[in-house]
Amino acid sequence: MFSQQILLKGQVIPEYGKTYNVVTPDFKTSFSTPLKAVFDVGRSFDNPTAVNPLFNTAARYLNMHQLAGVPLKNLSVAIVIHGSAANDLLRNEYYSEIHKIDNPNVSLLKALAEKGVQIILCGQTAAHKNITKDKIIPEVAIALSAMTALVQLQNDDYRLINF
């Protein structure tokens, strides 16, 4: 068996991003080169009471690589948010105006930011949805557009991950 069939709690962001331990992968993971990933998140899901699973994927990325032995200094992550996912960045008071509950994404996004993850909102989406800087959690940076942020990050050797 090449992996444990039990989801493991990560050490980077323990509350989120559970992962499997793949013990003997055929495709070897590099421990010495930077692994720079940008997640393109343009959608939310039908359950406003649950964390956006695409945000959780960023936590899983950090946890699984650290578990595999990649030093944290070699991991760089950014999340570029646009479209319906923009509401998942709202402060509790604004999220609750829409969904009547606190935003379940806040603690995950804060934990990601504390580990150096860049959280970037598309300025075009923000303007279209009337999302101002005071309505989103402070860990979020607003870019001219998602396209701009994605191109610039890729120019800085981040690799695009799009689900």
Side-chain angles (χ1 to χ4, degrees), residues 67-163:
L67 178 66
V70 177
L72 284 177
K73 67 181 174 107
N74 286 353
L75 298 173
S76 297
V77 175
I79 307 171
V80 176
I81 298 107
H82 55 96
S84 64
N87 286 343
D88 293 339
L89 303 176
L90 293 172
R91 292 176 188 261
N92 284 331
E93 57 266 31
Y94 298 102
Y95 193 87
S96 66
E97 287 177 7
I98 300 167
H99 299 292
K100 310 301 181 225
I101 58 167
D102 284 347
N103 186 344
N105 298 287
V106 170
S107 62
L108 169 56
L109 292 167
K110 287 179 181 288
L112 287 166
E114 286 174 9
K115 295 300 180 181
V117 173
Q118 297 178 70
I119 303 167
I120 304 164
L121 173 60
C122 172
Q124 301 301 302
T125 296
H128 179 73
K129 292 179 160 286
N130 194 30
I131 296 174
T132 55
K133 186 79 171 162
D134 64 309
K135 292 182 179 179
I136 56 177
I137 62 171
E139 293 78 8
V140 177
I142 298 178
L144 173 63
S145 71
M147 295 177 285
T148 305
L150 289 166
V151 168
Q152 284 183 208
L153 287 161
Q154 289 175 87
N155 285 346
D156 289 337
D157 295 326
Y158 280 74
R159 300 299 180 238
L160 180 63
I161 299 177
N162 190 343
F163 290 103

Side-chain angles (χ1 to χ4, degrees), residues 3-16:
S3 69
Q4 293 180 356
Q5 297 298 313
I6 300 168
L7 278 173
L8 302 172
K9 183 190 281 191
Q11 295 178 357
V12 181
I13 303 182
E15 302 83 19
Y16 300 96

Side-chain angles (χ1 to χ4, degrees), residues 29-38 61-62 65 70-77 157-159:
T29 301
S30 172
F31 301 117
S32 61
T33 58
L35 297 175
K36 298 168 82 173
V38 54
Y61 182 87
L62 291 169
H65 285 98
V70 177
L72 284 177
K73 67 181 174 107
N74 286 353
L75 298 173
S76 297
V77 175
D157 295 326
Y158 280 74
R159 300 299 180 238

Side-chain angles (χ1 to χ4, degrees), residues 40-57 84-88 95 99 105 163:
D40 179 5
V41 178
R43 62 190 167 111
S44 194
F45 291 79
D46 291 335
N47 185 357
T49 66
V51 166
N52 186 322
L54 300 175
F55 296 160
N56 195 53
T57 299
S84 64
N87 286 343
D88 293 339
Y95 193 87
H99 299 292
N105 298 287
F163 290 103

